[in-house]
Amino acid sequence: MKSNVVELAADVLVIGAGAAGMSAALAAGERGASVLIADRSLIGRSGATIMAQMTVAVALGEETPDAVEHHYADTLAAGRGLCDASLAALLCAQGPTEIRRLDEWKVGWARHEDGRIRGTQAPGHDRPRCVYVDFLNTGPALAKTLRTRVLRQENVTRVGDLCITDLVVKDGAVTGAVGFSVADGRPVTIRAASVVIATGGITRLYARNSASANMGGDGHALALRAGAELMDMEFVQFFPIGNLAPRLVGMDPIMWDPFRYKLGGRLLNAEMREFVNDYGNAEGERYNVTRDRATHAILSEVKAGRGSPAGGAYLSFQHIPEDQLRAAFGPVIDKLAENGIDLTKMPVEVAPIAHYHMGGVRVNDTLETRVANLFVAGEAVAGANGANRLSGNAITEALVFGRVAGEAAAKRRLAGASASLAAAAYLALLEAGSPDASNNLAGIIDRLQKIMAVKVGPFRTKAGLEEAIAEIAALRTEIGALPPGEPGPYNMARLDWFDLRTMLLVAETVARTALSRQESRGAHQREDFPTMQDEWTIHQTVALDGERLVIGRVPVQVEHVREVA
Amino acid sequence: MSVTATLIVRRGVSGQKDETSRYEVPYTPGQSVLDGLRYVRANLDPTLSVRHSCISANTCKECMISVDGKVEYACTARLEPREMILEPLGNKTHLRDLVTEITPPDERLDHAIKRAKQGAH
């Protein structure tokens, strides 16, 4: 079997090839490090970046005068007291540099006729600050631009269809990783002086989600098993107005948000009455209620029996003239027509959908974990966005943290030309197979997603969370200790097993931290503890002790706005 | 009576004999072929392999297959309440079931091995 193992090496191994991973690979490559960027799907096509359609928050000051401290203040306010000040400040302060770098690389930011980059005002921002690429093309344009730069960077080797399953750790430092080629099943070891986790969030844990099928928390599980800590895992952001009905194919389910920024759009209950302000909000003409509050309003209305037929709210653009719709969204209007949707004649139905995760791996100011040489970038980083992320901060975070982590990782260089990675213990699992291939693993993923949506979703209770923890444990027993069948080309049942190994571990961290946080704050809403409590202005951490999850608490690092600029 | 779509899917691993599997899935208007295939995996046959990264947003462009002999994205081809014949792309190397090798040549594992041998780490 050993002869089958592919052995690779690089100064820097980057896991994940969205905006964060590609930025990290570029930053490290530019500094002369040899880089291997691996993605379980295709380079630049998987993950969340490519799904992002709109809004990147950045204090450029071109649409209207702006400064970093205003963006920072809005980020902290949205974060409900849990933002890590230095990470939030880093995001806001370095944002303009990264957005201008992308502009030089011709990403195609939408511009005014006089050449100024356009900014739109998303909810939670004090002024127009969110740049974008028309029409609803921000993520694909970014992914393509970054991929083109990565292609030109001679120091970077790209490997798609490579699923990383474990990090290899020696004496408290990461020394590489193991995984397998999804395309043909071959086991792979990668010796590296440093590793950057850029695997995105955990939205795949939920039945309805707006990201990609490969975002089940791979990086979180890798980090946890390697000895790093997770933080703020209970904070899962639900995007309030994800498309619910009619079925939309060929479009991102969260595409109604840019429609609302640009055109307004009325959120209505079954009685065709606006209701968001019934829940203590003060939304006027402009769409300004933050994601956590809008989610709360919609779900409360559904619970009160005033939801739309499919179980959400109506969103209506019927008051907006057709020429205005077309001017704002051009070809998107035709795509909607293909789905049988004419916005001048009918409302659509929307409901909260899992969209982003504020929690992640705990890092220091250079994005290194407590495991030496292990860095994290992008959504997988905990802390910058606190208990609720401000609209538009996700791509900024991916670009900035990718760059910073890549630069820091590039300072570690591989010693010894021919050493082998001590990976035998990790490889055993990749070569093992269970004779029992009858288990319906894809069905178990479905069941887990439903448990999480119902019991660990936007509204939580002690009883529901305890049930979820017990059910997750039962699913772990069900999947068994070994992957089914044998390694081979694109064996999805086997991939499902490795995914469940990750997803069940990460799901448990979310449920357990949600259970112990006895308050409601931002994206974490407890029906049995409905108010925010000062004593809970604290982060919860999670570490792995053998098979057991250990929850700890660390204070929030607070820094005054003045110190940012 | 509930309406169904019948998916007739070419199965098998590269280099081995092909088989055909027949699946009946519930049909509701507006659904995609990928919706049907995801239903199959979760409810009828978890061993079926089909490739996709985004979920019916048509951004990853990874789910291209042959639907009734025509090349389509599984996520934008509509499910229809009739027999539909689904096959892997004919002009790409076959991996398993509906999955073909679509990774660019210089992003494959063998390319990385070659680079390593050339001394570029």
Side-chain angles (χ1 to χ4, degrees):
Chain A
M1 291 300 280
K2 184 77 171 81
S3 59
N4 192 23
V5 177
V6 175
E7 294 184 358
L8 299 172
D11 291 326
V12 181
L13 167 66
V14 178
I15 307 170
M22 290 194 286
S23 295
L26 282 171
E30 285 165 12
R31 270 152 193 76
S34 69
V35 180
L36 192 150
I37 181 166
D39 195 287
R40 51 178 293 171
S41 180
L42 301 184
I43 304 298
R45 291 215 234 164
S46 70
T49 298
I50 198 148
M51 297 287 285
Q53 298 195 334
M54 196 84 186
T55 66
V56 181
V58 59
L60 283 186
E62 294 201 14
E63 179 70 35
T64 192
D66 200 356
V68 166
E69 60 261 39
H70 303 312
H71 182 194
Y72 177 71
D74 286 347
T75 298
L76 291 200
R80 314 280 185 241
L82 283 196
C83 289
D84 178 282
S86 51
L87 290 175
L90 180 65
L91 186 164
C92 297
Q94 303 278 359
T97 310
E98 293 310 315
I99 295 315
R100 297 210 186 278
R101 193 193 312 273
L102 262 303
D103 194 45
E104 276 168 34
W105 291 348
K106 307 217 170 359
V107 74
W109 299 123
R111 286 189 132 87
H112 289 280
E113 280 179 13
D114 62 8
R116 285 177 303 132
I117 294 176
R118 280 182 187 271
T120 188
Q121 186 163 3
H125 290 272
D126 71 343
R127 69 195 71 205
R129 177 182 294 135
C130 295
V131 302
Y132 57 92
V133 180
D134 273 327
F135 288 99
L136 303 188
N137 199 39
T138 305
L142 261 162
K144 192 175 167 211
T145 304
L146 288 168
R147 189 174 182 282
T148 304
R149 302 303 298 198
V150 171
L151 248 69
R152 289 187 203 162
Q153 177 50 257
E154 181 54 27
N155 292 345
V156 180
T157 300
R158 293 159 281 131
V159 187
D161 277 345
L162 178 54
C163 182
I164 304 295
T165 53
D166 277 292
L167 299 176
V168 179
V169 177
K170 196 182 169 199
D171 303 329
V174 72
T175 55
V178 303
F180 65 96
S181 158
V182 182
D184 60 23
R186 271 181 293 176
V188 179
T189 68
I190 304 140
R191 199 163 60 88
S194 61
V195 174
V196 180
I197 288 174
T199 50
I202 63 166
T203 39
R204 193 192 182 193
L205 297 180
Y206 290 87
R208 295 181 67 242
N209 69 69
S210 68
S212 290
N214 34 45
M215 294 178 72
D218 285 6
H220 302 70
L222 290 172
L224 199 55
R225 285 197 299 264
E229 288 173 300
L230 306 184
M231 190 173 88
D232 295 342
M233 290 302 287
E234 63 271 40
F235 294 101
V236 180
Q237 181 167 73
F238 284 79
F239 182 87
I241 54 170
N243 187 75
L244 182 62
R247 179 86 179 102
L248 256 185
V249 304
M251 300 188 84
D252 181 341
I254 70 152
M255 41 74 72
W256 298 118
D257 215 35
F259 272 72
R260 292 197 80 195
Y261 306 148
K262 281 195 177 177
L263 299 168
R266 302 171 64 214
L267 210 48
L268 308 167
N269 64 11
E271 299 159 358
M272 291 312 208
R273 187 174 62 75
E274 288 185 275
F275 60 88
V276 170
N277 290 352
D278 298 352
Y279 296 93
N281 300 308
E283 189 158 71
E285 284 296 296
R286 217 168 42 71
Y287 168 41
N288 64 2
V289 172
T290 52
R291 290 176 175 173
D292 50 352
R293 302 194 68 97
T295 292
H296 177 260
I298 293 169
L299 293 181
S300 301
E301 205 64 9
V302 172
K303 225 170 156 189
R306 292 186 296 270
S308 65
Y314 288 112
L315 178 63
S316 173
F317 297 93
Q318 285 162 276
H319 57 291
I320 296 162
E322 193 177 354
D323 56 337
Q324 214 176 315
L325 283 169
R326 196 161 278 282
F329 289 100
V332 180
I333 302 300
D334 299 322
K335 264 197 182 175
L336 289 172
E338 286 166 26
N339 281 281
I341 295 170
D342 179 348
L343 293 178
T344 62
K345 294 195 169 62
M346 60 196 277
V348 293
E349 289 180 61
V350 296
I353 183 167
H355 179 56
Y356 177 86
H357 183 224
M358 277 67 73
V361 186
R362 189 177 178 209
V363 293
N364 65 15
D365 295 358
T366 56
L367 302 168
E368 191 167 6
T369 69
R370 74 176 185 183
V371 177
N373 307 328
L374 179 60
F375 295 83
V376 191
E379 188 176 346
V381 173
N385 298 290
N388 177 56
R389 174 173 63 79
L390 186 67
S391 296
N393 269 359
I395 293 282
T396 319
E397 160 183 80
L399 295 169
V400 171
F401 291 178
R403 171 90 12 204
V404 173
E407 285 174 1
K411 291 178 184 154
R412 320 286 157 90
R413 295 297 166 93
L414 210 53
S418 61
S420 252
L421 189 66
Y426 304 93
L427 279 171
L429 193 60
L430 292 174
E431 292 168 335
S434 159
D436 178 17
S438 63
N439 223 347
N440 184 352
L441 297 169
I444 293 177
I445 291 176
D446 248 37
R447 283 157 61 199
L448 172 64
Q449 289 172 325
K450 289 191 176 104
I451 293 166
M452 293 299 285
V454 174
K455 294 172 180 169
V456 198
F459 281 142
R460 298 156 176 186
T461 63
K462 177 171 185 280
L465 291 165
E466 284 173 346
E467 281 170 29
I469 290 165
E471 287 166 13
I472 290 165
L475 292 181
R476 187 172 291 147
T477 308
E478 241 182 277
I479 71 164
L482 297 172
E486 290 170 5
Y490 227 94
N491 187 336
M492 273 186 80
R494 239 178 122 78
L495 186 59
D496 286 340
W497 186 88
F498 282 100
D499 283 348
L500 277 164
R501 174 183 180 236
T502 289
M503 291 168 76
L504 291 168
L505 176 63
V506 178
E508 189 184 342
T509 68
V510 180
R512 285 201 183 276
T513 49
L515 179 63
S516 52
R517 180 175 285 276
Q518 298 186 341
E519 65 153 357
S520 290
R521 178 189 300 260
H524 170 73
Q525 293 291 323
R526 283 283 296 263
E527 289 183 79
D528 41 0
F529 298 96
T531 56
M532 191 156 104
Q533 301 294 328
D534 281 347
E535 70 265 28
W536 275 106
T537 304
I538 198 160
H539 299 293
Q540 292 190 96
T541 58
V542 186
L544 201 56
D545 176 14
E547 295 278 292
R548 201 170 61 91
L549 293 175
V550 180
I551 297 179
R553 292 183 186 179
V554 291
V556 180
Q557 193 210 334
V558 188
E559 181 190 352
H560 198 271
V561 178
R562 269 198 316 268
E563 297 165 29
V564 178
Chain B
M1 209 183 75
S2 63
V3 184
T4 60
T6 304
L7 302 179
I8 298 166
V9 183
R10 178 94 64 83
R11 303 291 306 278
V13 181
S14 56
Q16 293 175 21
K17 200 172 163 292
D18 284 354
E19 295 170 25
T20 299
S21 294
R22 196 182 167 93
Y23 306 107
E24 284 215 8
V25 302
Y27 164 80
T28 49
Q31 281 186 307
S32 66
V33 168
L34 184 60
D35 289 338
L37 290 168
R38 293 177 65 220
Y39 179 89
V40 170
R41 294 207 72 242
N43 298 281
L44 305 174
D45 185 352
T47 68
L48 175 67
S49 284
V50 54
R51 171 178 197 126
H52 67 98
S53 175
C54 80
I55 307 167
S56 294
N58 198 224
T59 52
C60 73
K61 315 283 187 189
E62 294 186 12
C63 65
M64 207 181 264
I65 59 170
S66 161
V67 179
D68 296 324
K70 217 176 121 201
V71 173
E72 304 230 37
Y73 291 111
C75 76
T76 52
R78 298 286 172 169
L79 195 66
E80 290 173 28
R82 59 175 177 85
E83 289 190 349
M84 302 184 83
I85 297 171
L86 309 182
E87 296 166 299
L89 295 178
N91 61 344
K92 304 266 185 198
T93 305
H94 187 222
L95 296 179
R96 183 190 298 263
D97 301 343
L98 295 174
V99 183
T100 49
E101 177 61 276
I102 56 164
T103 311
D106 62 351
E107 294 180 4
R108 293 179 194 166
L109 187 56
D110 283 332
H111 184 259
I113 296 168
K114 206 168 90 191
R115 267 178 71 103
K117 281 187 182 144
Q118 287 163 355
H121 264 317

